[in-house]
Amino acid sequence: MGAITLLPGAARAQAGFPAQPLRLIVPFAPAGTTDLTARLVAQGLGERLGQTVVVENRPGAGAMVGSEAVARSTADGYTLVMSNIASHAISPSLYPTGAVRYDPVRDFTHIALVTSNPSVWVANLRSGIADVAALLQRARSQRGGLDVASSGAGSSNHLLIVQLAQVAGVSLNHVPYRGAGPAMTAVIAGEVPAMSDSLPSAAAHVRQGSVRAIAMSSETRHPGFPEVPTFREQGLDIVSTSWFGISGPAGLPAAVVARLNAEIRAVLATQEVRARFAEFGGTPGDMDAAAYGRFVAAEFARWAPVVKASGAEAG
């Protein structure tokens, strides 16, 4: 009887949502993959919901600042976060006990997977680094090792730098920035010679020729960038994929979750969005909320021992 009486209320909640604009928190600086993905989806989602979806950048602490803000927000569906491999799989294990003030599984309602993509390593045009062999040679010959930038501590690209150093037996110094945009600017200017970046945020720079792409972390060459060899082709067994989704605080009403999941997946299925993802190297997701929740839990469980074994630390 109780379940039957709850159904009309749930239906009304779904029918009345949303009654005001939504905030989509991006826990990284503008111009990075998370930001580009958020703005692409927010536009279509807002049109389908009939409300503006405002994208707000709140970078810091390996994507944990913005993520924590959403975990502590009211569970009404109006404050969401671009959950990602950094904020919900890597950073919670990378930072010391006490620094992480949320549980990536229990403190969120995971709504939908948006996209996944490989990483690409790029080098400054004047660095003389044309491929992975040249990068490793520079790292071996340069006193103190080679500086390599990323969008920040806790990102998958941070761990990729650690992994490459271990696999190749060289010294690579992680140089974290507050987002992929500032890091890419530093590489173009020659402040750092190379960068590990997610493909979507690097794609335009690679196509414009403002940086040189030297390796892709996909299993095979990416169809959008067939000229860029993989790490495996260059003798290193390294494969890595980043992912991005949309989540809210724990306890979101089921009807709201169902509505958001359906609308997000509808946006991802449009020809326009699929074409944009193909353009910058992303693969659209298609999971219901329960599947995405299981996916995030599995990724957190997968990366925790990797972070510990790597010896990587935030900073």
Side-chain angles (χ1 to χ4, degrees):
M1 180 69 69
I4 294 175
T5 58
L6 284 174
L7 286 175
R12 284 195 300 273
Q14 183 171 0
F17 176 86
Q20 65 188 56
L22 286 70
R23 282 194 309 155
L24 179 56
I25 305 297
V26 173
F28 287 106
T33 296
T34 318
D35 183 66
L36 293 172
T37 301
R39 294 181 189 280
L40 178 60
V41 174
Q43 180 177 348
L45 181 60
E47 291 172 357
R48 294 192 64 86
L49 292 174
Q51 289 285 353
T52 302
V53 178
V54 179
V55 176
E56 179 182 328
N57 296 89
R58 297 190 67 176
M64 293 194 300
V65 171
S67 301
E68 181 186 353
V70 173
R72 295 176 179 273
S73 67
T74 303
D76 54 12
Y78 290 102
T79 303
L80 307 171
V81 65
M82 285 298 297
S83 46
N84 57 83
I85 190 172
S87 60
H88 285 75
I90 295 176
S91 286
S93 299
L94 190 70
Y95 281 77
T97 302
V100 185
R101 293 184 288 272
Y102 62 80
D103 184 289
V105 178
R106 293 194 304 268
D107 291 340
F108 294 86
T109 301
H110 296 296
I111 299 168
L113 176 68
V114 173
T115 185
S116 58
N117 57 262
S119 292
V120 60
W121 278 48
V122 300
N124 174 273
L125 296 177
R126 301 175 299 281
S127 67
I129 299 174
D131 53 26
V132 172
L135 181 141
L136 298 180
Q137 182 180 11
R138 177 73 66 82
R140 293 188 179 103
S141 63
Q142 189 165 306
R143 185 176 182 180
L146 183 70
D147 291 345
V148 181
S150 85
S151 60
S155 65
S156 59
N157 288 296
H158 174 189
L159 266 291
L160 194 54
I161 294 168
V162 173
Q163 184 180 11
L164 178 57
Q166 291 179 334
V167 170
V170 299
S171 178
L172 298 178
N173 307 315
H174 176 228
V175 183
Y177 283 80
R178 292 176 65 84
M184 182 63 73
T185 298
V187 173
I188 293 172
E191 294 175 15
V192 285
M195 175 183 179
S196 176
D197 195 12
S198 294
L199 180 56
S201 57
H205 298 284
V206 172
R207 287 199 171 100
Q208 292 165 6
S210 54
V211 291
R212 179 181 293 110
I214 63 172
M216 196 80 70
S217 72
S218 47
E219 292 190 9
T220 59
R221 293 201 183 199
H222 194 282
F225 299 84
E227 75 283 2
V228 183
T230 65
F231 279 103
R232 280 183 169 174
E233 287 180 85
Q234 299 179 75
L236 297 170
D237 189 17
I238 293 177
V239 176
S240 178
T241 301
S242 298
W243 51 266
F244 308 85
I246 293 180
S247 304
L252 286 185
V256 170
V257 174
R259 173 80 190 280
L260 287 171
N261 177 270
E263 301 296 7
I264 292 167
R265 291 166 76 183
V267 170
L268 297 176
T270 62
Q271 184 175 354
E272 178 185 0
V273 170
R274 296 185 76 85
R276 284 287 289 132
F277 276 132
E279 180 182 331
F280 58 55
T283 301
D286 186 20
M287 290 184 183
D288 62 29
Y292 183 48
R294 292 191 296 270
F295 173 82
V296 173
E299 282 288 285
F300 175 57
R302 170 196 169 197
W303 280 99
V306 174
V307 173
K308 182 177 180 180
S310 74
E313 298 178 351

